[in-house]
């Protein structure tokens, strides 16, 4: 019997971080709400108790479940018969490990924002904590929730691309093209601060998404990489541009370009995979479309929700083809599948899912670590073990 | 003082229609949930009591608020101190008027799917009922909720296009390209049934969206139209293709093409507006992008969430530029703005909104009526009064 | 034996019209030159003898073959043993018939710009002249020369689209959005002058291209049409916008929109054809791509020069796929196929070609005539016979 | 006084290579013909005399000017009073130097296909020969002939992008995705043969185009590079994929990806340049469009031939905007500007042009050489001097 074996209906959810100023906290809340599988009932929404209180009230949380800090929250919620069954951790990177350990130790499931942690030792500690806990751990690499990314993964797995040769990943933004961290942007402040972000800047913030998505779709791992990290904005303390060459398992080659100074780019996550029999191309800003090319100029435009896409392996649509789903829907799919796993867990069942795991998160932090080491060695080839 | 002047927090919502088989009911529920402004607490979800009960249970409604029909629901909810403050009506067209009258009569706000009704007399009766009720009436012409459609409207209003000359609207789908109504599609059955849909087929189902959006963005009205409605699928009882020429106020010309037999088209709502100083182009399947052209080959791609789009008049974003919002977000904006209006109404305030009104709905049904009459007269020019 | 049965090598070509100021004359010359099948050796390049002389010298023509007018040219060239074998007529519409008659009467092949003539009687006279002459007559509806339009035609003919239901043609430009004819544009002057253009403005200049291409690809004819022609620019003497509803052979429906006041549109010729089994979409500004859709969301992007496009029926490439061909190449294909036909004619052979004929041109002028009559009768349905 | 100071009119052109089987020879001939500035009058079209003769006859060359080899041609043409004024060299890379030396030594201008040579010593020898000759040398890096690439160059030079930070170049094809060189493709045979191509495969064939275009538009040079060349097809003797990281002058960073095994890619040359004030994006397969982005989501689509593009610095259009020009027109612009330079040279004038020079070609071969050396040293950073 598990801790929550008598629970029924929507999952009681708590949140750590995600106060008024935050961007990603609101996203997590909408994602949790989309399919009606969670109720947000508790929170330690800010490291500043006053702000936590104000934010909790603004969200309509009961007064007695607005906590000044995550430790208090973990203890109190674990003690309540109606305590939270899961917690969303949406703090800056350096503050993922402590609350995750606290809640996992109480058997409360953790849904954690990416990257897993700011440092590799933290990541290892968290992986260990998750392994030792009976509770679930889900990392919100939300782009894996896009239906066409599931189609892409299924097509690769089914051999539609043949042997993979090349992977070109890129993630280009421009919101750090100038020194936003000195102009009052909270988002920019912590993301360019090694103490809160870890040793990776752009490579940690968005490069990990690209890395994760590449592995999700292709199943390939990096054998060694050569990374050239760079800071274009004067005074910045972390990289804002990264160019990485990859040698992948099975003899494939690849590259990841991650940049936050690419003027005119918004959220340009893009994947291209080339195999002997076919190729896939996808752009996050038009996420409903997956291009499938075959030799001889055969080029298909697969759209979410069509019979053709479903046959290719697409899943998770909420509305018919041509009614565009977007970022929030993909994010919500992660939450909803986590809900399925949590419900199964109530009765002691383990379900196979596509959800990003703590091991995926550890791999991501190891990737950042290898990039930083490679770059420090003038882009020397560096193995990932 | 108003009926709900003491209410606080999320709005208690009921639903008429929208049982398990329905498409649009689920959409309304997600839209209501997205911004956490409603709680679905009651329903008469099907015209078949057993199915209503099963659907209500599946949605987790309290047993005593699952009703066998809308009359019972209107009476019982009006009698409860915690009764619903608003109701979503998501039935086929012929069943919009009766529940709307019932709830409006009780002072309960109505959020109603489009088109307003199946017939013009019904539409007039509903407009009258809404005018006589103190309650609010909102019609879910959801495409007006897209941020870039608000930007488009603002740009036209600000004179960025100069004097308008041409409007090209189209709405092309292919899901009725064969006789889906004879192959078990519930959606197809009622939408091709004059008793439930009214005299318009494609022109009623999707043509009204195109008509509404044209008016929303341009502010132009149709003076006269020439409509050629057609049924391509043998045995079909309503039009599945409509080609309409328009003479608009201010000397503008235009056309609306609505089709449900256009092979390969998914949900191809598209708007193009040409004025003396500029032009706009937009496609629903890529709703985040609005093209603005000016003489001399100046052509700008405006994207939701960017400073450029916001300066142009875009509103209502939930996530930053490049994180695509879609159909559900646009729909949710209608619900959320209705929530704002409902909350204002609690204290007797009237707020100006961009929400589609019962008058807009009446205009839409009058448009369908004029199209049907014009087509019956071999596409004779027919005035809209 | 034919008049030119002893000729070998490149075809000696003359030109009527196409002096220094002209746009289309230069296009014809490049098109003739592209595949090295013609030598321009004679010309009456302007209705003003001085300008003809200057233009001829600028083109490097021999002095004795620069003529003051087409009559002199026809007589002199016919008398020369090395006289021209073909003539390109690139004058305004009202000046197509007289030179065509003159050269056809001499057995000299005519390659004539579109539309065939400015008036229907002229068109009939020209058709008669062409029929009576043993010489060839080719009309440069150049858009039929695009390889992907040949692919489209082949796909329709092979039944890939099933029974055709809908055709949406449009041709939108903006170069007459203001009164260019009053600001010194020679092109605008004659094209808005009924004496030189005929009764059709935009409908004659570009509507005929759309009409011709529709027939070329689909094989459908118009049974009746309802045309609303309009003049947006004050003082203009011919239509600058045309909206036409079509009832086509075989029960198909369609529309043609032609406009020269659509701000931001450059040369927006676009074709969409929908059948029971498939659909095609094509835009002249991206002429290398043909979209082929099938039910269920199958959507293929066919590109000129690929094996897939060739299998679909594409012909006439000069360079490999991905090396874009454009407007001049498509135009040149008309010239080159005319050269093939002329060479075959030398030995008395008749070859089947895809080249637009005088009958196609007559149909185009009849189409303009029907549009003008329909519009004058308030867009009454008007039969094409 | 120069050798050809008494010449008038079209330039007499010879060709070395470009016989029946060749691809690029035909392209050069069309390019030379497009604007009527050359007459092809002589050729040594194949290394096999019989094939040269047959090819020359097929092209209609005079019998006495079809030569068995380039040495005979250079000698004979130099001796004729009407001898060729320029020669196009369109042989495989290893056969650029010898004919170039021979014709330059005779004072005959050389228009040479790229890359300059197969080896760096050859390239140096050719640069020396060109410097010592009074004749002109033009390298057909044809993509610099695209009007929008001239616009791009002008925009960078005018500071519209601010300080350049990032350059992402790619050139992806798939025609060598399998062992085409073993299946009878002449093109594949010599391009994968070190004896004829030199030490670079894809990097030489297409990487040099990307390298050249980057320099043309941005004015940046490579300080050092790290290249990972790879052969995916078993048995292939040269690289078919190259991933190169760049450190550029002025602190800019960049990457070049060149591949001939990228399934589904046709001729995917693509350039993206990011500066502090703006960014440009361009794709060769849609060459008429240049995207210009500025901070804040300003994004303009510039199209060749529009007033906006011309204001940005576009030049060289033949037809109006919206009438697409393509690969052949861009190539022809190189020829036509070479003709201008040749005509100026007749009277001893030197003109500044945008034409690729022998020095540009030498830089390209040095780039290939550095890539090969870097790759052999496990992608070690390698300086370009």
């Amino acid at each position: 019997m598990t801790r929550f074996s008598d629970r029924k209906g929507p999952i009681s959810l708590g949140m750590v971080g995600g106060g008024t100023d935050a961007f990603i906290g609101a996203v997590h809340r909408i994602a949790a709400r989309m399919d009606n599988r969670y109720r947000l009932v508790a929170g330690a929404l800010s490291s500043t108790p006053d702000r936590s209180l104000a934010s909790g009230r603004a969200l309509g949380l009961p007064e007695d479940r607005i906590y000044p800090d995550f430790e208090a929250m973990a203890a109190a919620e674990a003690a309540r018969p109606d305590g939270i069954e899961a917690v969303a951790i949406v703090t800056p990177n350096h503050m993922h490990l402590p609350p995750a350990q606290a809640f996992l130790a109480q058997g409360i499931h953790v849904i954690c924002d990416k990257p897993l942690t700011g440092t590799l030792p933290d990541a290892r500690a968290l992986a260990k904590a998750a392994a030792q806990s009976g509770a679930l751990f889900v990392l919100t690499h939300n782009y894996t929730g896009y239906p066409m990314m599931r189609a892409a993964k299924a097509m690769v797995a089914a051999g539609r691309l043949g042997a993979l040769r090349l992977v070109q990943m890129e993630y280009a933004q421009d919101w750090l093209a100038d020194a936003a961290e000195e102009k009052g942007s909270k988002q920019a402040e912590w993301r360019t601060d090694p103490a809160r972000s870890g040793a990776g800047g752009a490579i940690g913030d968005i490069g990990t998404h690209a890395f994760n998505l590449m592995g999700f779709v292709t199943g390939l791992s990096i054998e060694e990489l050569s990374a050239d990290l760079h800071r274009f904005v004067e005074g910045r303390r972390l990289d804002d541009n990264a160019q990485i060459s990859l040698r992948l398992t099975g003899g494939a080659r690849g590259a990841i370009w991650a940049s936050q100074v690419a003027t005119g780019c918004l959220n340009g996550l893009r994947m291209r995979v080339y195999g002997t029999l076919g190729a896939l191309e996808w752009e996050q800003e038009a996420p409903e479309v997956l291009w499938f090319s075959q030799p001889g100029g055969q080029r298909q435009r697969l759209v979410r929700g069509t019979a053709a896409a479903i046959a290719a392996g697409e899943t998770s649509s909420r509305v018919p083809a041509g009614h565009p789903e977007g970022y929030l829907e993909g994010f919500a799919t992660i939450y909803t599948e986590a809900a399925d796993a949590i419900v199964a867990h109530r009765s002691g069942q383990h379900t196979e899912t596509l959800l990003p795991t703590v091991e995926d998160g550890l791999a991501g932090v190891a990737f950042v670590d290898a990039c930083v080491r490679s770059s420090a060695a003038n882009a020397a080839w560096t193995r990932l073990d």
Side-chain angles (χ1 to χ4, degrees), chain A residues 84-168:
Chain A
I84 57 170
E85 191 173 359
V87 68
I89 299 177
V90 295
T91 46
N93 308 343
H94 72 305
M95 278 302 290
H96 289 178
L97 175 63
Q101 287 174 317
F103 288 95
L104 287 170
Q106 298 288 0
I108 294 171
H109 308 300
V110 170
I111 299 171
C112 183
D113 208 67
K114 46 51 57 186
L116 185 65
T117 59
T119 70
L120 192 50
D122 271 17
R124 291 190 180 120
L126 184 38
K128 192 173 164 192
Q132 290 174 343
S133 164
L136 301 171
F137 184 93
V138 173
L139 191 69
T140 54
H141 271 307
N142 56 289
Y143 299 114
T144 65
Y146 274 123
M148 297 317 290
M149 288 294 86
R150 272 90 188 282
K153 180 184 180 68
M155 291 173 80
V156 170
R160 303 285 298 277
L161 276 67
L164 300 187
R165 286 175 165 174
L166 288 166
V167 187
Q168 294 283 340

Side-chain angles (χ1 to χ4, degrees), chain A residues 184-377:
Chain A
S185 163
K186 299 278 181 202
Q187 292 296 318
E189 279 172 24
W190 79 257
R191 284 175 207 266
T192 60
D193 175 5
R196 287 179 277 178
S197 263
I203 192 64
D205 188 23
I206 57 176
T208 49
H209 269 310
F211 165 81
N212 175 264
L213 193 63
M214 174 177 72
F216 178 79
V217 168
T218 67
L220 299 177
S221 301
I222 297 174
E223 293 190 339
E224 54 182 352
L225 58 76
S226 162
D228 198 22
L229 309 187
H230 198 67
R231 302 167 200 187
F232 279 105
V233 173
E234 210 170 357
R236 182 158 290 163
R237 290 176 291 163
L238 290 172
D239 64 281
D240 48 28
N241 189 77
Q243 184 72 44
I244 307 156
S245 291
L246 306 175
R247 292 172 180 165
L248 299 157
T249 45
R253 286 291 196 273
I256 297 177
W257 171 48
S259 184
Q260 295 181 315
V261 299
T263 303
C265 294
L266 301 174
N267 197 37
L269 173 59
R270 187 179 180 205
M271 184 184 67
R272 292 177 287 177
V273 183
Y274 302 93
T276 50
L277 299 181
L280 294 173
E281 188 167 334
W282 179 82
E283 295 184 64
Q284 190 274 149
E285 296 187 17
E288 302 267 279
V289 175
L290 179 66
W291 293 93
F292 176 49
S293 298
Q294 290 168 285
Q298 297 282 354
R299 191 164 167 83
Q300 272 186 276
R301 184 178 183 269
L302 288 163
V303 178
R304 181 199 56 79
T306 60
I310 292 165
E314 177 254 294
T315 57
S316 299
S317 293
R318 287 169 190 83
V319 281
H323 300 70
E325 295 192 354
Y327 175 83
L328 290 168
E329 286 75 18
F331 215 115
T333 292
I334 302 295
Y335 263 85
T336 296
E337 293 184 358
D340 289 340
I342 290 168
V343 168
H345 189 272
R346 288 174 181 172
S347 54
Q349 294 175 308
H350 175 74
T351 51
E352 283 301 319
T353 73
L354 296 174
L355 292 167
T357 66
V358 76
E359 294 299 327
D360 294 328
L362 176 55
V365 179
F367 163 74
V368 173
D369 181 73
C371 288
V372 170
R373 286 186 291 124
S374 171
S375 190

Side-chain angles (χ1 to χ4, degrees), chain A residues 7-67:
Chain A
R7 293 289 174 96
K8 283 196 163 37
I11 295 154
S12 293
L13 181 71
M15 182 169 276
V16 177
T20 316
D21 283 348
F23 149 56
I24 205 68
V27 168
H28 278 252
R29 290 191 291 268
I30 296 177
R33 210 151 52 218
M34 180 89 68
D35 296 324
N36 207 23
R37 303 293 300 276
Y38 296 86
R39 292 280 178 275
L40 182 67
V41 296
L45 300 156
S46 169
S47 53
T48 312
D50 281 0
R51 191 172 295 166
S52 182
L53 185 61
S55 296
R57 284 173 174 164
L59 291 173
L61 298 184
E63 290 279 318
D64 65 332
R65 298 179 85 171
I66 306 175
Y67 300 94

